[in-house]
Amino acid sequence: LDPFHDEAAMAVALKWLRAGVWRGLALELLVEGVVGDFFGSLSAFTTWFAAPDVAPLTLGALTFAGPFDFFGLAPRAQGLYELNVYFPSGYSGNIYTVFRGLIQDFGLVGAWGAGFSAGVLSAIAYRRCAAGRVHWAVPLSLFYGIVLFSNLSSVFVYNSVILGWVVAMVVSVWPARMWGLEPGSEERFA
């Protein structure tokens, strides 16, 4: 089996165990639930995007919900989005991908701009990391983290994730400065 099928099989098995093996649940219902879990965020986002919603821009309160809540700028709602989208199968979902938060925070043009900027900055980080400047691995991992979890929501919703990246950045840059290798210098880590 390939990795996608392995992950799908594990998801069905875990859903079966969580629901109760002893109940004799039909495999078809479990597979439908897993399909909703895997691909429901796209359907929920598409349904939300197609509906006319003229709510005011939240200027970062959804994409950066953790820091906004921590600093008292905007309360973070549990579950982030309260509105559920109901699918023809009867399942519902309220996971709208990272793009809903970006669009609600900064508008469609702002979301495009944020995506473009993230792409440019990650390309710079990749090139510098490939050239041997390993402290650029942390900003590059930030981009990878955003992309990996983009089907769910923004990784900046969680303060612990942000703190982890800040600590990793300090740890990766501090030794370079301590040893006299400034992060912008031509000297490389081997």
Side-chain angles (χ1 to χ4, degrees):
L1 290 176
D2 60 56
F4 177 77
H5 289 101
D6 292 345
E7 188 176 341
M10 185 183 304
V12 169
L14 288 173
K15 197 172 201 82
W16 184 46
L17 289 171
R18 190 175 69 193
V21 178
W22 58 90
R23 292 188 185 163
L25 297 171
L27 183 62
E28 182 180 342
L29 293 174
L30 294 172
V31 171
E32 279 182 18
V34 168
V35 167
D37 293 344
F38 272 79
F39 302 108
S41 58
L42 277 173
S43 297
F45 175 75
T46 304
T47 302
W48 170 81
F49 190 77
D53 186 14
V54 261
L57 299 180
T58 52
L59 305 175
L62 292 173
T63 303
F64 303 101
F68 269 62
D69 185 48
F70 181 77
F71 292 113
L73 300 172
R76 175 173 37 180
Q78 188 172 7
L80 201 57
Y81 303 112
E82 296 171 7
L83 179 67
N84 280 341
V85 171
Y86 292 92
F87 306 119
S89 65
Y91 289 98
S92 66
N94 68 344
I95 308 250
Y96 296 95
T97 75
V98 70
F99 304 111
R100 176 178 176 176
L102 282 170
I103 292 169
Q104 274 192 282
D105 283 341
F106 310 113
L108 192 55
V109 173
W112 277 99
F116 180 78
S117 299
V120 168
L121 293 174
S122 67
I124 292 168
Y126 176 79
R127 289 189 182 271
R128 292 193 178 165
C129 194
R133 296 179 180 172
V134 294
H135 53 274
W136 283 93
V138 176
L140 186 59
S141 74
L142 178 68
F143 175 74
Y144 289 145
I146 292 169
V147 170
L148 272 172
F149 290 96
S150 65
N151 66 320
L152 300 173
S153 72
S154 170
V155 293
F156 300 114
V157 169
Y158 309 105
N159 291 328
S160 58
V161 174
I162 297 169
L163 182 62
W165 267 307
V166 168
V167 168
M169 194 63 192
V170 168
V171 168
S172 72
V173 172
W174 178 64
R177 291 183 186 253
M178 189 173 143
W179 294 323
L181 301 173
E182 291 297 321
S185 73
E186 291 305 311
E187 298 183 56
R188 309 273 194 263
F189 292 103

